[in-house]
Amino acid sequence: MYRLYHHNICPFSRKVRVLLAAKEIGFELVQENFWERRKEFIAMNPAGNLPILFDNSNSAVIVGSVPIIEYIEEKHLETKCFLGESLVKKAEIRRLQNWFDEKFYSEVTKHVLHE
């Protein structure tokens, strides 16, 4: 079981939530108001950003949507691979993820956060 520290408007958190749900992997959501900079939150990630995945099976703390997605993909080989089967397909999927993350943040999220 996983614990995902997230915020509803964070696109990076949303991407991880979608992957976990699509792979039908059980997880618990923990709403994190990252601007409060709670001690426990900062202890997990001194940078103070989201998402953070806590793996209850081995107490691993994985920070950031890309590392979390790659961790889930590599740990759950028995489920459908969302990163692609070949090196070229994986590279293209990573390019699209990066494009979406940057575009969505710059055009939507940053305006909502700084409103």
Side-chain angles (χ1 to χ4, degrees), residues 1 7 11 13 18 24 34-35 40-41 45 55 62 64 69-71 81-82 86 88 90 92 100 108 110 113:
M1 179 69 131
H7 194 275
S13 298
V18 167
E24 298 178 349
F34 54 90
W35 57 87
E40 298 84 2
F41 172 64
N45 180 16
D55 186 342
I62 316 299
I69 286 173
E70 291 182 1
Y71 180 84
C81 179
F82 283 86
S86 73
V88 172
K90 287 180 182 180
E92 177 62 6
F100 175 81
V108 178
K110 94 173 169 185
L113 286 176

Side-chain angles (χ1 to χ4, degrees), residues 2 19-20 23 25 53 55 57-58 62 65-85 87 90 94 97:
Y2 297 102
L19 176 74
L20 289 168
K23 287 177 132 331
I25 296 171
L53 184 75
D55 186 342
S57 71
N58 59 12
I62 316 299
S65 64
V66 173
I68 291 171
I69 286 173
E70 291 182 1
Y71 180 84
I72 294 296
E73 285 287 309
E74 291 177 20
K75 186 170 180 185
H76 297 275
L77 296 173
E78 71 281 359
T79 60
K80 183 179 187 314
C81 179
F82 283 86
L83 288 181
E85 301 298 327
L87 186 60
K90 287 180 182 180
R94 288 180 175 122
Q97 282 184 56

Side-chain angles (χ1 to χ4, degrees), residues 54 64 98:
F54 181 79
N98 185 64

